[in-house]
Amino acid sequence: MTYHTSNEEHPIEIVNIASLEDRVKERMEAGAFGYIRGGSEDEWTMKENTSAFNTKKIMPRVLRGIDHADLHTSVFGIDLDTPIIQAPSAAQGLAHEKGEADTAKGVAAAGSIFSISTYANTTIKDAAAAAPNAPQFFQLYMSKDDGFNEFILTQAMEAGAKAIILTADSTLGGYREEDVINQFQFPLPMPNLAAYSEQSASGSGEGKGIAEIYAAAKQGLVPDDIKKIKEFTHLPVFVKGIQSPEDAEVAIAAGADGIWVSNHGGRQLDGGPASFEVLPMIAATVNKRVPIVFDSGVRRGEHVFKALASGADLVAIGRPVIYGLNLGGAEGVTSVFEHFNKELSITMQLAGTKTIEEVKNTTLLD
């Protein structure tokens, strides 16, 4: 049992995305797998994230002359082959020894957007170099240390990041019992932290638990932080972790260029609503003023369709990407996107929608 696989890269056979979890569980050390898979407390919200999609039904249209589905779309002038992007996920070296570098390659091959976390096991520069000319976003866990924030944002800008994702729902970690039971500590360094620790002695994250990692996070995030990031980077800023219409309005008023509807995959507040449950009301408030990214619980192309029809412009996937990375490296990541795209294409054709814009204009039934 190891924390990650060898450096092999190969496509993986997928019958359905949900089945990947058990395949990965057999290959990984229990603590590493538990960190990736687990949710907070009773994992009720994590489970609701997926089951909530069953509360809405697609009314199919026929006789519309649809002989194929066109998945192309764009955001901030970036052309994409699919409306599915990768959600930022920390510590991908737990899944594969090439970590975020292979994820970046696999996402690029799928014609999509890779997002790298502050808490990655690969430097921002190296992940960008693994997929040159491919779009990359940077996820910021804002620190109490303004010096670190400026340092890490500078790294992102120098690597050519196209947008900053300010994660607002993780000023501290949720209570994740699987990490407690496994006494999980990160076995690998986080080089973005290590590079700064040469100046501050703050450490690389290696040998620390999740609570210790989050201890450095700024716990009093305010709307003005959005403005500070925009002024420093001159890049679009998504606010990730929006779960209420009121917060979407506050974020846009503060200058947010995008809203990211997410409950962190059920890893933070347990007992909160499923992300899909709140998406329509948030989309109504946003009213197309800025793009909306949606994540949490997506396991089917049908789920992607329903999220787009409920107001999302892009749909992000997290754990499935990491499972693909573990099973097949960069090509495994691409395989996950290809399977989602296959299911989405079938759903679109059977629903009588040819383009992503037509999907967005589809009415779902309660």
Side-chain angles (χ1 to χ4, degrees):
M1 301 293 284
T2 59
Y3 280 104
H4 51 65
T5 67
S6 68
N7 62 1
E8 62 185 1
E9 298 179 22
H10 56 82
I12 56 177
E13 293 184 6
I14 302 175
V15 175
N16 63 69
I17 294 296
S19 67
L20 299 182
E21 187 173 292
D22 287 341
R23 290 166 62 180
V24 172
K25 183 178 181 179
E26 295 175 355
R27 296 160 53 90
M28 290 191 69
E29 188 274 336
F33 177 76
Y35 168 76
I36 292 167
R37 184 216 65 83
S40 62
E41 298 188 9
D42 295 323
E43 298 185 342
W44 184 86
T45 295
M46 185 181 79
K47 295 167 186 173
E48 283 291 297
N49 277 338
T50 298
S51 62
F53 289 105
N54 294 329
T55 64
K56 295 287 186 179
K57 297 177 281 294
I58 302 166
M59 178 186 288
R61 299 289 307 279
V62 297
L63 302 176
R64 293 174 60 83
I66 310 255
D67 59 0
H68 73 281
D70 181 357
L71 272 59
H72 290 87
T73 190
S74 65
V75 64
F76 297 148
I78 303 168
D79 292 327
L80 302 172
D81 293 339
T82 173
I84 305 165
I85 67 172
Q86 179 245 343
S89 304
Q92 294 180 26
L94 296 174
H96 193 280
E97 65 184 19
K98 291 187 178 179
E100 290 81 2
D102 257 22
T103 302
K105 286 173 59 179
V107 174
S112 186
I113 295 172
F114 166 72
S115 301
I116 189 166
S117 170
T118 296
Y119 302 139
N121 292 134
T122 305
T123 66
I124 302 170
K125 179 181 179 180
D126 287 347
N133 303 317
Q136 177 172 307
F137 290 171
F138 171 67
Q139 180 199 28
L140 174 66
Y141 282 90
M142 203 162 192
S143 172
K144 298 172 184 175
D145 182 347
D146 286 338
F148 174 78
N149 295 328
E150 293 187 3
F151 170 83
I152 199 72
L153 287 171
T154 298
Q155 301 299 306
M157 289 187 289
E158 290 178 349
K162 302 298 184 184
I164 305 299
I165 306 166
L166 172 62
T167 293
D169 62 358
S170 300
T171 53
L172 74 165
Y175 185 67
R176 304 173 194 169
E177 293 184 8
E178 200 153 356
D179 290 347
V180 175
I181 292 168
N182 292 321
Q183 298 182 326
F184 177 72
Q185 294 180 320
F186 290 100
L188 302 168
M190 298 174 179
N192 297 316
L193 305 185
Y196 185 71
S197 71
E198 295 175 5
Q199 306 173 27
S200 68
S202 60
S204 69
E206 185 175 2
K208 292 184 178 181
I210 188 65
E212 294 174 276
I213 296 292
Y214 274 118
K218 180 178 180 180
Q219 297 189 356
L221 286 179
V222 294
D224 194 52
D225 289 321
I226 301 169
K227 179 182 177 182
K228 290 179 181 177
I229 296 168
K230 285 171 63 72
E231 289 180 345
F232 186 79
T233 65
H234 304 289
L235 290 171
V237 174
F238 280 100
V239 178
K240 183 176 184 289
I242 297 294
Q243 298 164 66
S244 74
E246 293 83 359
D247 285 344
E249 190 62 59
V250 168
I252 292 172
D257 302 281
I259 296 297
W260 196 303
V261 178
S262 170
N263 59 28
H264 219 88
R267 292 164 71 80
Q268 293 297 91
L269 174 67
D270 198 30
S275 284
F276 183 66
E277 188 177 1
V278 299
L279 174 60
M281 63 184 80
I282 293 173
T285 294
V286 172
N287 195 26
K288 304 185 185 302
R289 287 177 288 172
V290 298
I292 294 175
V293 178
F294 167 87
D295 77 34
S296 298
V298 178
R299 296 295 181 272
R300 287 283 188 187
E302 165 210 323
H303 300 163
V304 176
F305 185 103
K306 289 178 177 179
L308 294 169
S310 298
D313 295 289
L314 298 172
V315 176
I317 51 175
R319 292 181 183 92
V321 171
I322 307 307
Y323 296 155
L325 175 67
N326 175 263
L327 293 167
E331 292 191 45
V333 169
T334 305
S335 295
V336 168
F337 277 87
E338 289 174 344
H339 185 82
F340 269 112
N341 287 341
K342 178 195 297 183
E343 289 191 356
L344 176 59
S345 295
I346 292 170
T347 301
M348 287 173 64
Q349 284 186 252
L350 293 176
T353 53
K354 184 172 184 176
T355 67
I356 298 304
E357 284 305 311
E358 289 182 8
V359 175
K360 292 179 183 179
N361 290 317
T362 299
T363 299
L364 302 181
L365 302 177
D366 292 322

